[in-house]
Amino acid sequence: MALLELNNVHTYYGHIHALKGISVTVEQGEIVTLIGSNGAGKSTTLRTISGLLTPRHGQVMLAGKRIDRVPPHDIVHMGISHSPEGRRIFPNLSVMENLELGAYIHSAYSPEFEDDLDRVLTMFPRLRERIRQKGGTLSGGEQQMLAIGRALMSRPRVLLLDEPSMGLAPVIVEQIFEIIQDINRQGTTILLVEQNALMSLSIAHRGYVLQSGEIVLEDSARNLQENETVQKAYLGVD
Ligand SMILES: Nc1ncnc2c1ncn2[C@@H]1O[C@H](COP(=O)(O)OP(=O)(O)OP(=O)(O)O)[C@@H](O)[C@H]1O
Ligand SMILES: [Mg+2]
């Protein structure tokens, strides 16, 4: 049984048919990437998994249990955490307060909280140095680290990452992607949405290509890297 499974999912915004029957599986321990251009439906897919949107047809399953009618906060409790597009951190709250909000499923200052905080700050030493600084005064890369760190504070089984490379310099993107790999090696399953297909295919095990709300290709990351259509459309290869 896959850890996460989307089965023929259709999601709408009013009359806009954004996901047109997509099926995606993510096995325990994998990094799976969803690539596609602007408006393809990548963020909509993550919002549908985390319960922010309810699909009109189809099912979303976590470890065999249907979650597509479960409210978002209960989905966090069940083990799915979402780091949204555009790093929605709280600019007027400190780094520490942002991390505390991510940990809301544990009682504050419980032993779990201290352990999780230490794990996140070890992963992101820059956040430890800036623990009292306001989120809004962090650099773009640091804000992305905070967004990922906050998502990790609920100890997710599945981490949903929406465009962690957006707006960051290549050297920072490399660092963030190394950390994503570390998070995965430590046991967290990852669904990674990216426009930067070059980077995401370099760390993913498998991938899906989404186009206008439909999955048009699915394969191992290596095969996708070598696929001519993917190279032309998403890897900038002529
Ligand atoms: N709140 C909304 N209301 C109406 N339509 C929306 C809304 N959010 C997204 N859409 C539409 O749904 C489709 C998929 O959008 P989505 O944000 O999932 O794309 P994406 O693949 O994440 O794109 P990007 O790479 O630009 O982030 C687009 O056509 C978009 O215009
Ligand atoms: Mg998006």
Side-chain angles (χ1 to χ4, degrees), residues 42-43 85 162-163 193:
K42 304 181 298 298
S43 299
E85 187 175 309
D162 198 342
E163 304 219 26
V193 156

Side-chain angles (χ1 to χ4, degrees), residues 9 14 91-93 97 100 110 193 207 234:
V9 166
N92 294 319
L93 299 184
E97 289 163 335
E100 282 171 2
S110 62
V193 156
Y234 305 104

Side-chain angles (χ1 to χ4, degrees), residues 87 124 126 130 138-146 148 163-180 194 196 199:
R87 337 181 246 273
F124 298 104
R126 284 191 189 218
R130 292 165 174 77
L138 298 174
S139 74
E142 289 160 2
Q143 288 188 24
Q144 186 56 259
M145 291 173 194
L146 181 55
I148 297 173
E163 304 219 26
S165 78
M166 193 167 40
L168 303 179
V171 54
I172 308 293
V173 173
E174 299 251 348
Q175 284 175 16
I176 301 254
F177 274 65
E178 270 171 31
I179 293 167
I180 294 170
E194 265 297 340
N196 188 339
M199 284 303 296

Side-chain angles (χ1 to χ4, degrees), residues 11-234:
T11 300
Y12 289 74
Y13 296 99
H15 294 299
I16 296 170
H17 194 177
L19 296 182
K20 299 168 186 158
I22 69 165
S23 296
V24 171
T25 59
V26 184
E27 302 290 338
Q28 165 82 45
E30 277 190 310
I31 300 179
V32 171
T33 187
L34 194 58
I35 60 180
S37 35
N38 289 120
K42 304 181 298 298
S43 299
T44 303
T45 303
L46 297 191
R47 287 184 208 123
T48 303
I49 297 168
S50 61
L52 299 171
L53 296 169
T54 303
R56 200 171 290 180
H57 303 288
Q59 296 103 37
V60 182
M61 326 268 280
L62 177 68
K65 271 195 196 151
R66 273 190 77 168
I67 59 166
D68 48 82
R69 295 293 183 276
V70 175
H73 59 273
D74 288 336
I75 290 182
V76 178
H77 276 273
M78 293 171 82
I80 298 181
S81 189
H82 184 178
S83 171
E85 187 175 309
R87 337 181 246 273
R88 301 273 165 71
I89 57 148
F90 296 96
N92 294 319
L93 299 184
S94 69
V95 168
M96 182 69 178
E97 289 163 335
N98 270 278
L99 292 174
E100 282 171 2
L101 285 172
Y104 76 97
I105 76 166
H106 307 307
S107 63
Y109 306 104
S110 62
E112 288 96 339
F113 175 83
E114 295 297 336
D115 285 355
D116 293 344
L117 182 66
D118 193 58
R119 183 167 90 104
V120 167
L121 296 179
T122 302
M123 204 169 267
F124 298 104
R126 284 191 189 218
L127 296 183
R128 197 190 288 279
E129 292 161 18
R130 292 165 174 77
I131 195 82
R132 301 280 155 218
Q133 196 171 319
K134 290 241 194 298
T137 64
L138 298 174
S139 74
E142 289 160 2
Q143 288 188 24
Q144 186 56 259
M145 291 173 194
L146 181 55
I148 297 173
R150 187 181 59 186
L152 287 173
M153 289 297 291
S154 65
R155 271 192 211 188
R157 300 168 76 182
V158 183
L159 177 62
L160 309 177
L161 292 173
D162 198 342
E163 304 219 26
S165 78
M166 193 167 40
L168 303 179
V171 54
I172 308 293
V173 173
E174 299 251 348
Q175 284 175 16
I176 301 254
F177 274 65
E178 270 171 31
I179 293 167
I180 294 170
Q181 271 186 304
D182 284 345
I183 293 168
N184 175 250
R185 288 194 198 103
Q186 291 177 27
T188 308
T189 302
I190 294 177
L191 180 56
L192 169 64
V193 156
E194 265 297 340
Q195 282 196 50
N196 188 339
L198 193 64
M199 284 303 296
S200 65
L201 289 173
S202 76
I203 67 163
H205 301 104
R206 292 189 303 115
Y208 292 80
V209 178
L210 194 58
Q211 214 173 71
S212 307
E214 291 176 282
I215 302 286
V216 292
L217 264 176
E218 72 172 276
D219 212 330
S220 68
R222 172 167 299 210
N223 285 346
L224 289 175
Q225 280 171 317
E226 285 165 7
N227 180 292
E228 245 180 68
T229 317
V230 173
Q231 290 188 347
K232 280 195 185 134
Y234 305 104

